[in-house]
Amino acid sequence: MKQRPVIRHTGFMMLTNIPRLNALMKKGGFDAVIATCAENVTYLSGFWAMSQWVRRGPQAYALYVGSPEKSSLIINTSLLDLVPDQHPWMSDIRRYGYFQVDFDGTSTPNETYESQKRLFATSSSDSSVEALVAAMRDYGVERGTVAIDEMGITPQCMEQLQEALPNVRFVRSFSLFENVRAIKTLGEIEILRSAARITEGAIEAALSVAREGVTEREMMRKFNAYLAENDTAPVVGCLGFGNRSALSNVQPSDRALRDGDLIRFDVGGRYRHYRSDMSRGAALGEPGEKVRKYYSAVEKGVLRAYDVIRPGLKVSELFDEVVGTVQREGIPHYARSHVGHGIGVDGYDPPNIAASANMVLEEDMVICVETPYYEIGFAGLQVEDMIRVTRNGAESLMSLPTAIRIL
Amino acid sequence: MKQRPVIRHTGFMMLTNIPRLNALMKKGGFDAVIATCAENVTYLSGFWAMSQWVRRGPQAYALYVGSPEKSSLIINTSLLDLVPDQHPWMSDIRRYGYFQVDFDGTSTPNETYESQKRLFATSSSDSSVEALVAAMRDYGVERGTVAIDEMGITPQCMEQLQEALPNVRFVRSFSLFENVRAIKTLGEIEILRSAARITEGAIEAALSVAREGVTEREMMRKFNAYLAENDTAPVVGCLGFGNRSALSNVQPSDRALRDGDLIRFDVGGRYRHYRSDMSRGAALGEPGEKVRKYYSAVEKGVLRAYDVIRPGLKVSELFDEVVGTVQREGIPHYARSHVGHGIGVDGYDPPNIAASANMVLEEDMVICVETPYYEIGFAGLQVEDMIRVTRNGAESLMSLPTAIRIL
């Protein structure tokens, strides 16, 4: 089996798909790319710039000028302390703004101490844009075409950047980053595999408390606590009992579980910055004939995907195969806008598995294939698997059976 | 004591400070305001538009044209299912995009069923901007000056909006929303109180496993699991032992706790959309003289805040009082960019408690007062309290003692 290279720098893994980034930059005629939103900065630089993950507005950028040697991470001075633990592969770190730290000159210097001494000794720019412009100038990017992720930079900063570099043509390129991220590196696949395993464990933990009278909220607490115990942050927790399962984004309520109730999970977390997303159904006792029939239909839709997934398959064909299977197997009127999507540092990487998609599957895409059916007044039935596209077919990242679980 | 009115609509609480919003709109000469980022849409409309909370790009807007009756919530069709549970006070809900749901005509209609039937019967716009423009036209906003939160709308959508309404002058107004949010309603204060109590409980839970050999990661798992068990999402979890406590944003590692180690928490979560943020220190056994002295100094800085906080106090004076106290009480070289900030639906609402601040404290601000001291090679000492500014002074939202906890 072909092994995609894993680039390591000072012993730490680079998750970025550098060959694909280089190829897409060449194709687009870009002299440099700039990541600005939390997901893309982390993806491109290997650095988790906390403040931009938890708030709107804090600015952090990763600049890539065609090679790892011509790359720079621009962060607020208050985030320098995260550098020693995270070892971002981008070693040219520029800071902006004031943040006070002191140094204990009597202590025995260790790696962290030396790193902080070195970083705080660098000069600080007044603003994020000033630091970015300085880095671009240092790498010779004062004209030409630059792909910039428009999702994280504020409009004010974008204007300042264009004013400071009037000869640079900036092209909005969040979608370029999505396109790079669509094909996973081996390091990413390992993290996604772990994220999937942990999330499955959380579903098991949640189901372990299923009994008459337990509420959606109580069950979700078990789910989230399991994630917490496994270093995973809750992101999407849709959990509904009975006819509440028909609400697509159902958030846990005080609705108590009753005999015969369907339980629908559509859930995911974030583990080492990467997302999980999956769906399973269970029932407390016999759920009834319609639930069994419809669940079986949506399950077969997902299972059909394993038969057809291979590099080169048109995504629109995958859509048709999955939807057609659900229709044939029990829900003749089944209709969907999409039956899945890629997953990575974002919950919806390309491809979007839709009728109108014009991509083809490629090796090392990691995709979620899902077949939700929501019937208000009745129930929501859904199976969703995380699947890696391999050289010859498909590899499931799942271990939980797809069948409805009768409790 | 003056009671700020709590506006209720169909039995559900409105958290928005409508009188302040109206006053600031009048002052700024705005005919309408538009919230676009997750925090502001939730704040203004009462609706948690899931997709914009978990990803970059999904668009949701809340339009307010000077009164609750002239307000509209614009969301993707895929989010309509969240309406019945959340009962947003904005009852004019506009949708865009396609999302498939079916209806079981044989079921017994309940409130959720009727709500979904009604919402899905409305016509869907092709895009978020088209829906927003239609709502603006319906409320007569085709010219004049409109305050728009620039943090959530994509630049592409902003351009489309300006093109569709060329006679409207749009003014970037994320800061106006921050300014409205700075003064909390009673409903918000109750949620913040609960968020504080839960986070304190999580610190207690984390400390309950403190013993030689336990790692930062193991302790943080207990912290996060407690949050999960109490319906609170982890947001900021900085936890460091020994000299790692000097790293301001320290993320939990495999560093094991040793006798004499300081433990620094700077932590918070999100409960019912509202943030908590607090800091405490503990030590396993005797932490040593310097830690005791410095911790006492930063503690006294926060306690000083309670003596001086009252409506009308200049924020810059609060800064001077707190910093001066820490300096006098044991850290003569103490320096900080700020010693706290407001807290609400965002982790950093106004005021920023800095030397350069030009605001004054007002009744029903909820602020975090914090006095972190980071000395690389030694330790990080920090106390942070959540405090409500009352009519006559200050009310702590905390119950944990501020003193260093010796375990």
Side-chain angles (χ1 to χ4, degrees):
Chain A
M1 197 182 128
K2 189 184 73 177
Q3 290 289 313
R4 197 171 295 277
V6 179
I7 300 172
R8 286 166 187 275
H9 187 87
T10 62
F12 288 81
M13 197 182 290
M14 178 195 279
L15 299 170
T16 330
N17 190 332
I18 291 288
R20 186 169 174 88
L21 174 58
N22 288 340
L24 290 172
M25 283 177 70
K26 192 171 174 186
K27 189 177 167 198
F30 296 117
D31 300 295
V33 296
I34 303 169
T36 71
C37 77
E39 290 81 354
N40 286 333
V41 169
T42 296
Y43 177 75
L44 182 54
S45 71
F47 187 75
W48 178 79
M50 186 171 84
S51 49
Q52 66 166 190
W53 279 97
V54 300
R55 299 189 58 223
R56 319 282 152 181
Q59 300 289 287
Y61 313 126
L63 169 70
Y64 178 84
V65 191
S67 74
E69 294 69 35
K70 295 176 78 174
S71 302
S72 183
L73 173 64
I74 290 96
I75 55 176
N76 192 283
T77 301
S78 65
L79 298 177
L80 291 181
D81 74 292
L82 290 170
V83 171
D85 276 1
Q86 294 190 29
H87 289 267
W89 66 264
M90 283 191 179
S91 53
D92 175 14
I93 294 168
R94 316 269 176 131
R95 68 186 180 107
Y96 69 91
Y98 162 67
F99 187 79
Q100 180 67 35
V101 300
D102 292 83
F103 287 88
D104 178 1
T106 70
S107 68
T108 310
N110 59 12
E111 190 187 334
T112 297
Y113 187 96
E114 297 296 352
S115 155
Q116 294 297 285
K117 263 287 190 195
R118 192 173 59 247
L119 289 165
F120 274 91
T122 61
S123 68
S124 179
S125 296
D126 286 340
S127 75
S128 59
V129 172
E130 188 183 307
L132 174 59
V133 168
M136 290 174 74
R137 291 212 166 107
D138 286 351
Y139 292 123
V141 189
E142 300 190 58
R143 54 192 54 76
T145 306
V146 171
I148 188 161
D149 161 18
E150 72 274 19
M151 288 295 184
I153 190 166
T154 64
Q156 292 86 338
C157 286
M158 188 62 227
E159 285 173 4
Q160 291 163 19
L161 179 61
Q162 182 67 81
E163 270 172 40
L165 294 169
N167 297 319
V168 171
R169 190 170 72 93
F170 289 98
V171 178
R172 291 174 191 157
S173 297
F174 181 74
S175 60
L176 179 139
F177 281 93
E178 290 186 307
N179 201 353
V180 175
R181 292 182 344 230
I183 312 298
K184 269 61 187 177
T185 57
L186 290 186
E188 290 184 286
I189 290 168
E190 286 317 301
I191 297 174
L192 286 164
R193 197 186 302 281
S194 299
R197 194 67 76 254
I198 291 166
T199 309
E200 291 186 317
I203 292 175
E204 293 278 12
L207 287 177
S208 74
V209 300
R211 59 169 198 283
E212 272 198 273
V214 79
T215 67
E216 290 170 351
R217 220 183 288 274
E218 288 164 348
M219 191 176 280
M220 184 50 74
R221 288 177 189 141
K222 293 298 168 201
F223 179 88
N224 284 334
Y226 184 95
L227 291 186
E229 295 279 4
N230 288 275
D231 305 328
T232 299
V235 178
V236 171
C238 304
L239 171 61
F241 296 166
N243 60 16
R244 286 179 56 81
S245 66
L247 301 170
S248 55
N249 305 292
V250 60
Q251 295 297 295
S253 74
D254 291 324
R255 162 72 152 78
L257 191 62
R258 300 193 287 259
D259 188 51
D261 268 344
L262 183 75
I263 303 169
R264 183 175 66 87
F265 290 89
D266 183 3
V267 289
R270 190 178 290 286
Y271 172 73
R272 290 179 60 193
H273 318 315
Y274 279 72
R275 288 285 323 275
S276 59
D277 186 6
M278 60 182 60
S279 181
R280 287 293 185 271
L284 189 69
E286 176 52 42
E289 190 187 346
K290 185 174 172 183
V291 165
R292 286 219 181 246
K293 178 180 165 192
Y294 278 32
Y295 190 97
S296 169
V298 302
E299 180 192 6
K300 284 175 179 152
V302 171
L303 295 178
R304 178 64 186 153
Y306 286 98
D307 299 334
V308 297
I309 287 174
R310 55 173 169 71
L313 179 72
K314 284 184 186 172
V315 171
S316 57
E317 283 184 31
L318 175 57
F319 176 87
D320 291 341
E321 286 286 346
V322 170
V323 170
T325 300
V326 178
Q327 289 170 339
R328 274 192 310 277
E329 296 290 343
I331 312 179
H333 57 283
Y334 187 69
R336 274 291 290 174
S337 51
H338 73 78
V339 293
H341 48 82
I343 188 163
V345 71
D346 188 6
Y348 280 77
D349 275 354
N352 184 42
I353 308 173
S356 61
N358 53 20
M359 296 179 81
V360 298
L361 293 182
E362 295 182 57
E363 185 181 355
D364 289 338
M365 282 181 169
V366 175
I367 59 178
C368 295
V369 175
E370 59 176 329
T371 48
Y373 174 75
Y374 309 114
E375 187 176 316
I376 310 290
F378 164 52
L381 300 313
Q382 184 178 10
V383 172
E384 180 173 10
D385 271 18
M386 293 172 66
I387 303 171
R388 172 191 185 183
V389 180
T390 63
R391 188 173 179 185
N392 302 311
E395 175 202 346
S396 181
L397 301 193
M398 311 295 291
S399 62
L400 285 181
T402 49
I404 191 167
R405 174 104 60 107
I406 308 298
L407 303 165
Chain B
M1 197 183 123
K2 190 185 73 177
Q3 289 290 312
R4 199 171 292 278
V6 178
I7 301 172
R8 285 165 186 277
H9 187 88
T10 63
F12 287 80
M13 197 182 291
M14 178 196 279
L15 299 170
T16 329
N17 190 333
I18 291 288
R20 186 169 173 90
L21 174 59
N22 288 341
L24 290 172
M25 282 177 72
K26 192 172 175 188
K27 188 176 166 197
F30 296 117
D31 300 295
V33 296
I34 304 170
T36 70
C37 77
E39 290 82 355
N40 285 334
V41 169
T42 296
Y43 176 76
L44 181 55
S45 71
F47 187 75
W48 178 80
M50 186 171 83
S51 49
Q52 66 166 188
W53 278 97
V54 300
R55 298 189 59 223
R56 319 282 152 182
Q59 300 289 288
Y61 312 126
L63 169 70
Y64 178 84
V65 192
S67 75
E69 295 69 35
K70 295 175 78 174
S71 301
S72 183
L73 173 64
I74 290 98
I75 56 176
N76 192 284
T77 302
S78 66
L79 298 178
L80 290 181
D81 75 292
L82 290 170
V83 171
D85 276 1
Q86 293 188 29
H87 289 268
W89 67 264
M90 282 191 181
S91 53
D92 174 15
I93 295 169
R94 317 268 177 131
R95 67 188 181 105
Y96 69 91
Y98 162 67
F99 187 79
Q100 179 67 37
V101 300
D102 291 83
F103 287 87
D104 179 0
T106 71
S107 67
T108 311
N110 58 12
E111 190 188 334
T112 296
Y113 188 95
E114 298 296 353
S115 155
Q116 294 295 287
K117 263 288 189 196
R118 191 172 62 248
L119 289 166
F120 275 91
T122 62
S123 68
S124 180
S125 296
D126 286 341
S127 75
S128 59
V129 171
E130 189 184 306
L132 174 60
V133 168
M136 290 174 74
R137 290 213 166 106
D138 287 350
Y139 292 124
V141 189
E142 300 191 59
R143 54 192 53 76
T145 306
V146 172
I148 188 161
D149 162 17
E150 72 274 20
M151 287 295 184
I153 190 167
T154 64
Q156 291 87 338
C157 287
M158 189 61 229
E159 285 172 4
Q160 291 163 19
L161 180 61
Q162 182 67 81
E163 270 172 40
L165 294 169
N167 297 320
V168 171
R169 189 170 73 93
F170 289 98
V171 178
R172 292 174 189 156
S173 299
F174 180 74
S175 60
L176 178 138
F177 282 93
E178 290 186 306
N179 201 353
V180 175
R181 293 184 343 233
I183 312 297
K184 270 61 189 177
T185 57
L186 291 186
E188 290 183 286
I189 290 169
E190 285 317 301
I191 297 175
L192 286 164
R193 198 187 300 283
S194 299
R197 194 67 76 253
I198 291 165
T199 310
E200 289 187 318
I203 292 175
E204 293 277 13
L207 287 177
S208 74
V209 300
R211 57 166 201 286
E212 271 198 275
V214 79
T215 66
E216 290 169 353
R217 221 183 288 273
E218 287 164 349
M219 190 175 281
M220 184 50 73
R221 288 177 190 141
K222 293 299 167 199
F223 178 88
N224 285 334
Y226 184 95
L227 292 186
E229 295 279 4
N230 289 276
D231 305 329
T232 300
V235 177
V236 170
C238 304
L239 171 61
F241 295 166
N243 59 17
R244 287 178 55 81
S245 65
L247 302 170
S248 55
N249 305 291
V250 60
Q251 295 298 294
S253 73
D254 292 324
R255 162 72 153 78
L257 190 61
R258 298 193 288 259
D259 188 50
D261 268 345
L262 183 75
I263 303 168
R264 184 175 66 86
F265 290 88
D266 184 4
V267 289
R270 189 178 290 283
Y271 172 73
R272 291 179 60 194
H273 318 314
Y274 278 73
R275 288 285 322 276
S276 60
D277 186 5
M278 60 183 60
S279 180
R280 287 294 185 268
L284 188 68
E286 175 51 43
E289 190 187 346
K290 185 173 172 184
V291 165
R292 287 221 180 243
K293 179 180 164 192
Y294 279 32
Y295 190 97
S296 170
V298 302
E299 181 192 6
K300 285 176 179 153
V302 171
L303 295 178
R304 178 64 186 152
Y306 287 98
D307 298 335
V308 296
I309 287 174
R310 54 172 170 73
L313 180 72
K314 284 184 186 170
V315 171
S316 57
E317 282 183 34
L318 175 58
F319 176 85
D320 291 341
E321 286 287 346
V322 170
V323 170
T325 302
V326 178
Q327 289 170 340
R328 274 192 310 278
E329 295 290 342
I331 312 179
H333 56 284
Y334 187 68
R336 276 290 290 174
S337 49
H338 73 78
V339 293
H341 49 81
I343 188 162
V345 73
D346 188 6
Y348 280 77
D349 276 352
N352 183 42
I353 307 174
S356 61
N358 53 20
M359 297 179 80
V360 298
L361 294 182
E362 294 181 59
E363 185 180 356
D364 289 339
M365 282 182 169
V366 175
I367 58 177
C368 295
V369 175
E370 60 176 328
T371 48
Y373 173 76
Y374 308 115
E375 186 176 317
I376 310 291
F378 164 54
L381 298 314
Q382 184 179 9
V383 172
E384 179 174 10
D385 272 18
M386 293 172 66
I387 303 171
R388 172 192 186 183
V389 180
T390 62
R391 190 174 178 183
N392 302 310
E395 175 202 348
S396 181
L397 301 192
M398 311 295 292
S399 63
L400 283 182
T402 49
I404 190 167
R405 173 102 61 105
I406 307 299
L407 303 164

